[in-house]
Amino acid sequence: MLYVPRRLLEETRAHLLREAPREGVGLWAGRREVERVIPLPNAHPHPHTAYLAEPLALLKALRELEGEGLALLAIYHSHPAGPALPSPTDIKEARWRVPYVIFGTDGVRAFWLPEGREVSLLVLG
């Protein structure tokens, strides 16, 4: 289960709305619940249909989290023109053992990828 305070869920939505119509990407970090939203640049050559967290920004963010004693809790991205379901590309390119949170036109959902098993998302407050 993923625990996220409502204000951080809204902060994430705001980031993704600023990126639209491109897909947005970022990290959720914390200890037991999401404490920090870290937007990352989308460096994919086709950002309207896919995402790739810019590698140097990702590395810097991961180092900062480690220095702050936080863990990577989830990777989030948007599907600005589609549902909150993993695409075949999302499944194929999943590398991290954290939930992938997808913000789509029909809401927000989280999944363990590449398995595709849904993760419960509990919004706090």
Side-chain angles (χ1 to χ4, degrees):
M1 182 170 291
L2 242 149
Y3 300 93
V4 58
R6 184 170 308 283
R7 69 177 180 77
L8 294 180
L9 183 69
E10 294 310 318
E11 181 180 325
T12 305
R13 273 191 223 280
H15 162 233
L16 297 173
L17 284 172
R18 287 190 305 272
E19 294 295 319
R22 299 165 36 104
E23 289 195 12
V25 60
L27 309 176
W28 278 354
R31 291 172 185 85
R32 298 196 62 209
E33 68 183 49
V34 177
E35 297 174 40
R36 216 167 137 209
V37 176
I38 302 135
L40 296 170
N42 182 352
H44 197 281
H46 305 286
H48 289 82
T49 57
Y51 75 94
L52 171 67
E54 196 283 316
L56 292 177
L58 175 60
L59 182 59
K60 180 181 178 210
L62 292 171
R63 284 184 177 156
E64 286 176 11
L65 296 179
E66 185 178 322
E68 295 171 23
L70 301 176
L72 175 62
L73 298 181
I75 298 169
Y76 69 84
H77 76 280
S78 60
H79 288 176
L85 292 170
S87 69
T89 302
D90 292 338
I91 294 167
K92 183 179 90 174
E93 295 183 1
R95 301 281 184 273
W96 298 83
R97 295 307 306 154
V98 296
Y100 286 75
V101 180
I102 303 170
F103 288 75
T105 56
D106 60 348
V108 59
R109 295 169 74 183
F111 300 88
W112 285 109
L113 297 179
E115 301 89 337
R117 187 174 38 125
E118 190 157 6
V119 175
S120 297
L121 190 64
L122 183 63
V123 180
L124 305 171

